[in-house]
Amino acid sequence: MIRSLIISCLLASPVMAGTVASTAIDSFNAICFKAGQTAAEARMRMEARAGSPLPFDLTFWDKTLQPAPDTPPKIERRCEVRFDGDHTDTAIAALRKQMATPPVFGFAIDLPDTHAEASGTALIEGRELLRGRVAVVHVGTRDGQTFMAVDRLPRGWEGG
């Protein structure tokens, strides 16, 4: 009995340690703010943390590293996770904590014209980054899911 319990614990996926929501939120905060990763690398890192297949939806692209057709022209990078239920309060609290952890994730600025609050938005905020870049963090609900997203805009984004 004890042996089978130990084997079951060893074979359990990382998701079993917490809920899908906490796993998605933790994975977003650990991976989505890291620059210099391809979509495959981001997915691999998420799967290493959360299990494979991912227990949540992931959208990731970085036009500075590889082509990303059919994506918004003024956004160079996006990382978004989506998971069932309304967990916006928990997601916002974790996101705020992550953004305040050194190195601090920029400082709040007016929202760029590339983004706007939408139905279901719980938080949307522009952040000024190093080297003239800007990021937008967005948390909300759509279609019965919570989403957390961070978009990075290139230097000169305000110029069109």
Side-chain angles (χ1 to χ4, degrees):
M1 169 115 169
I2 292 176
R3 183 171 186 244
S4 64
L5 179 61
I6 291 170
I7 291 170
S8 293
C9 288
L10 291 173
L11 295 176
S13 78
V15 174
M16 294 188 71
T19 66
V20 170
S22 65
T23 300
I25 292 167
D26 292 348
S27 296
F28 176 87
N29 284 333
I31 306 302
C32 285
F33 294 104
K34 294 185 186 313
Q37 57 186 343
T38 65
E41 290 167 335
R43 179 167 291 280
M44 180 184 66
R45 289 181 177 117
M46 290 263 187
E47 288 175 345
R49 291 184 56 82
S52 179
L54 288 175
F56 51 84
D57 296 321
L58 170 66
T59 298
F60 184 95
W61 41 264
D62 187 333
K63 295 178 195 177
T64 66
L65 299 175
Q66 57 192 174
D70 301 320
T71 58
K74 294 183 182 180
I75 300 169
E76 69 181 11
R77 181 176 180 269
R78 173 170 291 164
C79 186
E80 178 178 298
V81 297
R82 294 171 308 284
F83 46 96
D84 289 339
D86 182 351
H87 304 278
T88 54
D89 291 341
T90 304
I92 291 169
L95 178 63
R96 290 230 181 265
K97 182 177 177 182
Q98 176 67 30
M99 290 191 311
T101 302
V104 174
F105 189 68
F107 58 91
I109 61 170
D110 290 338
L111 199 59
D113 65 2
T114 54
H115 291 75
E117 187 170 323
S119 176
T121 293
L123 168 77
I124 188 167
E125 188 173 283
R127 307 290 289 188
E128 187 168 333
L129 306 175
L130 298 174
R131 295 184 296 261
R133 288 193 167 114
V134 167
V136 175
V137 292
H138 197 175
V139 177
T141 57
R142 75 172 86 92
D143 300 326
Q145 292 187 310
T146 296
F147 68 89
M148 298 177 74
V150 60
D151 290 346
R152 187 181 71 205
L153 286 68
R155 176 190 316 264
W157 61 271
E158 63 281 300

